[in-house]
Structure formats: structure tokens, C-alpha cells
Amino acid sequence: MQITIQPGYWYERIRINAEQSIFHQWKMLEETGCIQNFRIAAGEEEGFREGWFFSDSDAYKWVDAAARIIGQHTDQKLADLMESFIALIGRVQQSDGYIFTYNQIHFPGSKWQNLQIEHELYCHGHLIEAGVSHYRATGNACLLTIAQKAADCVVRDFAGKGARHTPGHEEIEIALLRLYEVTNHRPYLKMAEQFINQRGKTFLFGLSLLMQSGNSKKRLNEVKVNRQNYLKEHPGYHSYALPAGNAAKKPKNIHLRWAWNTLSGKFFQQQKPVRSQIVPEGHSVRYCYLATASAMLDRLQQTQQFLPALKTAWERMITRRLYLTGGLGSLPVIEGFGRDYELDPEFAYAETCAAIGSFLWNWEMAQLTGDACYSDLMEWQLHNAISVGMGLDGKTFLYNNPLACHGSITRKTWYEVPCCPSNLSRLLADLEKYIFSSQADTVWVHQYINSTYHDGELMLEMRSGLPWEGDISIKVLQAPDHEQVFHLRVPSWSKETKVRVNGEDIPLSPMKEINEPTACGVDPRLSHWQTIHRKWKPGDQIEMDLDMSPVVRFAHPKVKPHRNQAALTRGPLVYCLESVDNPNVDIFTAAGCVEAITQKYCPDVLGGIQMIQMETTDERKLNLIPYFLWGNRGKSTMTVWFNHSKEALCKPN
């Protein structure tokens, strides 16, 4: 199956990622010493290792993203940069396959220390993923060989060991399963299965964590002293400096809540076995990576050992722990889930990586179950909670993504922990993978993105006006001489959808009935498949008209911050008020008339957008822009939820 994204909305985002963002990221990795750490570890240059103990992962994710880009776009400069760094990785890797610059430089001969904290397995996982991506993109096995050596080291050192030998930050599980898909080497699958199945089985986990924490701090202090001594002995040494950490407004008692969250094991998803984890808890990125790996394991083994728990947890997340934007994680410090309906807009952490992790999890759920709701949430998160993470120039980023900001959060060129930029680049470079899927003579259309599809005798061309216009067309360019089944996803956000085949209307399947409303006001469970059975011929055309009327959203009454508040969405986009567009209005106190909404295309605003306008109760204008674009014009204030007065006398449109 070959899918290619064609010029249009996402094509431009992908182009900026390939031409601007990936090179900016390399520059920042060099400027903060991340790449230099590998040269020091290889014994090729003098210096002192800088950065967090897990910083190797940022370099591996860059290689992963670069490889996926090379798979879609020819760029010799990027290819040379990537291949040069791959060769350096090979020179750093030990003969047994182990590679972790923190230990190799600071603690030679030491490995697999403080697994819940220091992320050695997490780093190995991202190296393995990079090897798989590079092989799939280029056919060259140079990085795959390095990845297999690393994976063999993991299997050799961990296979058959108990629950205490489980990673703190899930990721290695996904990597091993991806490597198994390429190599069909069963020990990789069994190692991933062991890591997943032994979570939540560590006796006295909190005590074990305290011991690891003490040892990790001791090691950090030793590094700190060595660094001070090194700088004294080398007064001319250029010291690399990390940027400041990301800003986040914190609720009261958050550190006490963090302490309980970590010691109980919830932060690490270690509180109970995975099959019993029916509530999404703890660090949201880690949770989504674990859920993704669990679903992958079910898919690869053709079992349902984790699926019941995953479906229950997904339902809990959708109904009670999801922000309107699709963002996950309501608590800073914990960087993860709060209680049911605890969705304060300003405290929202909603890390970009968490939305990406959810995107990956939902893709696996879509393959396992065939349900449209998972693809629907993917679309919503892609346009909002994920896209907001990268600025229009591809060189500025948001780490956490609140739904209200009083000016404390701005886009940055880099972060102390720069996990999100390369994660975004990996996803954008691989986006075509999530548009279609097929099985036998059946095709599912998951996302509406300008693209071409070619699988055997079937060739399709799709054109989409999203996210600005709701017109979709799918043209058959070539078809086999027998019946094919198409499943078209009817988005949950489209109140009225029309489907035509060669100009003839197709009766729509009825929308699902939902019992429990969601906390945030959007519900991907309303999405469903429109199925068309037909013997297709070249020239046949499917047309869809999706309702792009602005929709007023209200939160569940249990979400206390949003009582007497509303939000606006249009198509797959969440909208927000930003101070830049409302210079004479206090966006946090103004009451908007939701009965008087208009919209207009603004070609000179943020590269061209559909803006929504409404009046306040005192007849002033409020201008709303897509949420994912906020913060692109300097420091500002922003809110998604606004006060409203349904009883106000508003002027007609």
C-alpha cells in the first residue's frame, strides 16, 4: 500500500517540518551539547558531558524524524547529516550493544542503574525506533544493525528477570514491538510482553523507588562536583547551557499530590497490573505509551488480553479526563492526569507528547476494534492538541498547552527537556500512514487529507478542504473488476453530513446514541462509518459535504471552572480568544453573545484563517482564531472558554 500526501494544508505543514524544523532542531541539539556528548563518549573530543541523563533520547528522536523525512523527501544535506551522526552512534556503542552516554562518560562500566528514574531503557527504545524508521525509509540496515545490537543487549540482560527490572518511562515496549515487525525475531516481542506484564507487581514499590531516588541523587551530586572540578581545571572550556524549563501555573498542594502519585506507583503505571488498569492515571505520556504498546501486543499476537481494560480506560478518559482540545494531563509537576472532571484550563499541562502518545494509542485501537471513534479522536487531537505544539515557522514550540494563559507561557525555540519538537517532527513526517487502512477488498478512510492511495489494482485520489472548508472528494483512478467496500468516517463534529456517489445521494447511517456526556463537550463516540459497497470503475467519484458551522460547546456541570462559560469550535478546530486580536477587550471577563456568531476568511492573519466573530453583551466585537495558532505573534493572553449570556439581546447576524 502506497499513500502520498499531496499539496494542500498538511502538505505545507510537512514541508516546513522538513525544510525548517528538522534543521533548527539539529542546531539546538548542537548548541546545548547533546550531540557533543556522543563525540566525548567516542573519545574523539575533549569536554564534559552536559544535560539530563536521558538527553541521548533527544538525539535519537531527531534521527528518527530525519529518517522519516528522507523517506518522503530527497534532501542530500539532511541525509549527509543523518548518516554522519549514525556513524558516530556506532562508534559510541559498546561491543555488547549497550549505549548510554551518561554512564559511559561519568560512570564507566555501570549500566541499568535506577530504572524507574534514569531512563536507560527509554533511551535504548528511541534508538531502536530510529533504527526501524531509518531501515524502512532507506532500506539501509546500518542503523538497524545498531538497534538490533542494543535490543539484543536488553533481551540478554532482562529476559526472565522480575518486576523490579521494569522501566520507569515506558517506550522500550513500543520499540521492541516495532523491531519485531521488521525482523520477526520473537525474543523482541517476548521481551516487550514481559515488560508490560510485570508492571504493577513490584513488592513495596514506594520503598524501592525511594532507594533508587537516593542513589540517583548521589550520582547527580557526584557529576556536579566533577563538573565544577573540570571547569576549574579548564578555565577556557566552553560550557554548554540548557534553556530554562517550561513554565506552568501550579495548583496548591501539587507537590504533596506528586509525592503520593509517585510513591503509590500511579505516576509510573506501577500501581497494579496492566490488565487491571481501567482508569488512566499518572504521567500522561508514559500512560499513553504503555497503552499503545499493550494494544500493539494484542494486535501482533491476535489476542484480546489487554483490550477490555484499554477500552474501559479510553471511555473514562473521554468522558471525564479529556480537555476540549484533546489535551491530556490536568496537573503540572505530575505532568499527568488529575481526578475525574478536574480540567482547570490554566493549570492544564496537556503536554504535546501526551497528545502524540494518545494519537498512537488511538491508531492501534482503530486497528484492533474497527471503531470510528478512535480515528475521530486522532483527527481532533492532530488539529488541536498536537498542532499547537509547533509554531508556524517550524522553529518555535510549546511544551505544555493550557487552555487559558495570562501571559506566563510563550513559544520557545528550545527547552531544558526538548522531547516534544522531535516527537512532533516524527509524526508529521509519517502522517500519510494514518490516512487509509485496508484489508482484502475493504478500505477505511480515517483522515481527510489531500492524498493518493495505491494498493494493487486500486488507485484513489482524495481532495479535502479541511480544516477550513468541509468539501471532500475521492476519485477512483483505477479499480479491480470486483466489488470493493469503502468505509468513510463521518466526523462527530459534523452535525449534517451529505454523501454522494457520482452525484447521487447516499442515505446516511444513523448516529449513535450516547448515555454519558463528556466532560469537555466534544464526543468522538458520535463518529461512525458510512459504508459503500460497489463495483467501482475509473472516474467514479465520492463527494462528502461536512457541516462547518460554528458549534457552541458547553462543559459538563461537574467541571467547575466552566460553569456559565462556553467555547466555540468549527469543523475539527477549537477556537480561542487571543489578546492580539482583541486589544480593547478583557477576554477573561467579557461576556460573548453565542447567538450572534459570524465568520469570515482573513487572508492576512496567521497565513490565512477562518476567523469567528461575536459580540459582547455591551456590543463590542470579539475575534476568535484557531487554538493551534495562538502564541505565534509574541507574548499574549489567551482563553478557549469565555463567559456568555444566553439571555442577552444581541443584534442579528
Side-chain angles (χ1 to χ4, degrees), residues 585-605:
V585 180
D586 184 342
I587 59 175
F588 297 102
T589 61
C593 301
V594 295
E595 301 91 341
I597 299 171
T598 59
Q599 52 185 319
K600 67 174 182 177
Y601 180 71
C602 300
D604 299 324
V605 178

Side-chain angles (χ1 to χ4, degrees), residues 554-595:
F554 301 99
H556 194 286
K558 291 184 179 180
V559 184
K560 295 179 181 179
H562 300 325
R563 289 175 181 174
N564 301 316
Q565 288 192 319
L568 284 172
T569 65
R570 181 181 183 275
L573 298 178
V574 174
Y575 275 67
C576 71
L577 290 163
E578 189 174 13
S579 55
V580 180
D581 306 296
N582 301 278
N584 301 314
V585 180
D586 184 342
I587 59 175
F588 297 102
T589 61
C593 301
V594 295
E595 301 91 341

Side-chain angles (χ1 to χ4, degrees), residues 354-381:
I356 294 172
S358 177
F359 186 93
L360 300 177
W361 173 26
N362 277 276
W363 177 248
E364 291 296 332
M365 294 294 283
Q367 307 312 299
L368 274 177
T369 67
D371 291 341
C373 59
Y374 302 111
S375 303
D376 198 76
L377 181 56
M378 289 171 68
E379 176 187 57
W380 196 262
Q381 291 179 319

Side-chain angles (χ1 to χ4, degrees), residues 32-183:
T32 54
C34 181
I35 306 302
Q36 184 69 2
N37 292 339
F38 286 85
R39 300 186 184 107
I40 296 170
E44 298 174 1
E45 293 192 20
E46 291 292 325
F48 195 86
R49 187 193 183 279
E50 305 285 359
W52 283 93
F53 37 72
F54 50 78
S55 67
D56 293 1
S57 64
D58 301 317
Y60 298 147
K61 281 193 287 184
W62 181 88
V63 175
D64 194 341
R68 299 185 197 199
I69 289 170
I70 290 296
Q72 302 295 327
H73 306 273
T74 302
D75 189 320
Q76 195 59 48
K77 179 183 176 182
L78 181 60
D80 291 345
L81 200 60
M82 178 179 66
E83 298 303 332
S84 175
F85 183 57
I86 289 172
L88 175 59
I89 294 171
R91 296 194 296 274
V92 174
Q93 188 175 40
Q94 295 179 177
S95 59
D96 65 351
Y98 180 82
I99 176 170
F100 189 60
T101 64
Y102 182 71
N103 278 342
Q104 288 173 264
I105 294 172
H106 294 313
F107 307 99
S110 171
K111 65 177 180 178
W112 311 131
Q113 298 292 312
N114 309 309
L115 291 177
Q116 296 305 305
I117 298 169
E118 294 187 9
H119 299 353
E120 289 168 87
L121 286 167
Y122 173 81
C123 289
H124 279 74
H126 276 302
L127 171 61
I128 293 167
E129 280 214 78
V132 172
S133 295
H134 182 263
Y135 176 71
R136 284 178 167 168
T138 67
N140 187 328
C142 62
L143 187 55
L144 183 67
T145 300
I146 293 171
Q148 285 187 266
K149 283 182 64 178
D152 291 341
C153 178
V154 171
V155 171
R156 190 167 54 248
D157 289 354
F158 288 93
K161 290 193 174 180
R164 290 185 181 273
H165 300 273
T166 303
H169 197 312
E170 300 92 330
E171 208 290 327
I172 184 69
E173 301 88 348
I174 295 174
L176 289 168
L177 292 173
R178 287 192 68 205
L179 185 60
Y180 168 73
E181 288 183 294
V182 168
T183 64

Side-chain angles (χ1 to χ4, degrees), residues 442-446 448 485-489 529-532:
T442 303
V443 176
W444 287 265
V445 185
H446 298 273
Y448 296 109
V485 181
F486 288 177
H487 295 297
L488 311 175
R489 181 177 57 83
W529 299 112
Q530 178 63 39
T531 302
I532 305 175

